[in-house]
Amino acid sequence: MIVNKSLLGNILSTLKKQMSEEPSSALILGSGLGEYADQLVSSVTVPTSSLPGYPRSSVHGHAGKIIIGHLPNDPQHRPLMVFKGRVHFYESGDLEKTLLPVHVASEMGARTLILTNAAGGINPRFRAGDLMVIEDYITIGTRGIRPPTDRSKDEEKLRTEKSAGKTDTKLIAHFKRSADAIGLPIQSGTYCWLLGPTYETPAEIEMLRRLGADAVGMSTVPELVRGSQLGMRVGGISLISNLAAGMSSEKLSHEEVTEAAKRVTVHFSNLMTTILTNLPQ
Ligand code: HPA
């Protein structure tokens, strides 16, 4: 396995001393979406700064907390593990650091992994504030960027598994049904992962549009791939926080992204709660 086993072991033993429940699902909250975790009840919160060797996020809006708790209206009272904030690949250049939370979630027992992010809208039908189910994804320029040093059999299998990296079609259908159930219009499309950290140029966005991308961002794909390789059901939802470069006259900024997240907090929260409380086993 690519991830550093002794680092993972230390983190898990520190976490398990404080968290006695086994989560059935895990949720990674992207830029500006962290507030969703605040409604959990009977919860335990561990700041990632207290976990030995856990990577820090330097990006505003990524708090660095791991929480296990329950949604107040979950009839089945299933424990949920929430990662408030993520560490982007561009922050360290080390994929292992970005993927650590996925391994933590899997080792803690989560069988479903839901990823969220803020993304730039490329599809001309999209508006800032839309939510988009990630149907599929495109990776450009980052595939195999850091060859693993440990070529164990396990790892070789992970890297060559044909079915690995697929988003779960049943989970995607559940996302859409959940949006329908609450009368929330939802987009769906292909997410393109670029390294970042700078936003794209209008020419790059035009290229991505022609390639079939509906939204662009700097995260999520590595976690989707690794989660599915570890046997979890994986799916993702993007908040279209802005129209991508060249699609509008607005200048892009991280503030715009977090502001957009604030505006759709209620929709996002209703959708996520509907998804999680009705999650098929
Ligand atoms: N581009 C890349 N990443 C992003 C964007 C964008 O326009 N918006 C939010 N994350």
Side-chain angles (χ1 to χ4, degrees):
M1 199 68 73
I2 303 168
V3 76
N4 181 325
K5 282 203 175 113
S6 72
L7 175 69
L8 180 61
N10 285 341
I11 288 172
L12 287 168
S13 70
T14 312
L15 268 182
K16 283 179 179 170
K17 276 186 204 132
Q18 298 170 72
M19 297 178 160
S20 56
E21 292 190 291
E22 182 171 308
S24 57
S25 310
L27 172 67
I28 298 185
L29 293 169
S31 288
L33 299 170
E35 238 178 61
Y36 183 74
D38 300 347
Q39 63 182 299
L40 293 185
V41 293
S42 318
S43 61
V44 176
T45 300
V46 175
T48 55
S49 55
S50 73
L51 298 170
Y54 198 96
R56 308 269 157 86
S57 177
S58 54
V59 182
H60 180 71
H62 289 263
K65 287 188 179 140
I66 303 178
I67 302 142
I68 285 193
H70 301 260
L71 286 168
N73 45 1
D74 181 6
Q76 296 175 68
H77 211 58
R78 288 170 291 193
L80 170 70
M81 183 170 212
V82 182
F83 294 82
K84 207 171 168 177
R86 62 153 56 84
V87 179
H88 301 82
F89 179 45
Y90 65 73
E91 291 180 76
S92 69
D94 182 350
L95 214 41
E96 219 177 277
K97 292 193 170 154
T98 294
L99 294 174
L100 195 64
V102 179
H103 285 270
V104 168
S106 169
E107 293 286 333
M108 290 292 286
R111 303 317 317 145
T112 303
L113 175 66
I114 301 180
L115 298 149
T116 64
N117 61 39
I122 297 179
N123 186 318
R125 286 185 293 111
F126 289 3
R127 294 286 161 266
D130 283 356
L131 294 169
M132 182 193 92
V133 175
I134 300 176
E135 292 270 356
D136 206 344
Y137 56 80
I138 297 172
T139 302
I140 295 181
T142 38
R143 271 209 189 276
I145 198 158
R146 183 176 182 273
T149 46
D150 160 23
R151 282 190 170 271
S152 65
K153 280 221 170 74
D154 270 3
E155 186 190 307
E156 211 50 53
K157 185 163 174 289
L158 275 186
R159 289 161 57 78
T160 52
E161 192 92 58
K162 288 270 187 308
S163 61
K166 295 250 178 9
T167 51
D168 186 286
T169 44
K170 285 194 187 133
L171 194 56
I172 287 173
H174 175 62
F175 290 172
K176 292 181 185 167
R177 269 197 312 273
S178 302
D180 279 352
I182 56 170
L184 180 72
I186 192 151
Q187 308 284 6
S188 74
T190 297
Y191 174 88
C192 179
W193 173 41
L194 296 185
L195 182 59
T198 51
Y199 291 113
E200 301 71 32
T201 63
E204 285 167 338
I205 293 302
E206 174 59 13
M207 171 187 77
L208 298 180
R209 190 188 64 74
R210 292 188 201 193
L211 291 176
D214 296 294
V216 61
M218 306 175 196
S219 69
T220 305
V221 172
E223 294 119 298
L224 278 174
V225 174
R226 181 53 52 85
S228 93
Q229 288 173 327
L230 293 173
M232 287 189 273
R233 273 196 298 198
V234 292
I237 295 183
S238 294
L239 156 68
I240 305 299
S241 54
N242 57 281
L243 298 183
M247 309 278 302
S248 90
S249 51
E250 301 271 318
K251 194 169 174 295
L252 292 186
S253 69
H254 187 64
E255 287 67 41
E256 187 189 354
V257 171
T258 44
E259 278 305 311
K262 266 192 215 146
R263 286 199 304 273
V264 297
T265 298
V266 175
H267 293 319
F268 174 79
S269 174
N270 287 343
L271 175 64
M272 199 45 77
T273 298
T274 309
I275 288 171
L276 288 164
T277 52
N278 298 291
L279 204 57
Q281 290 300 332

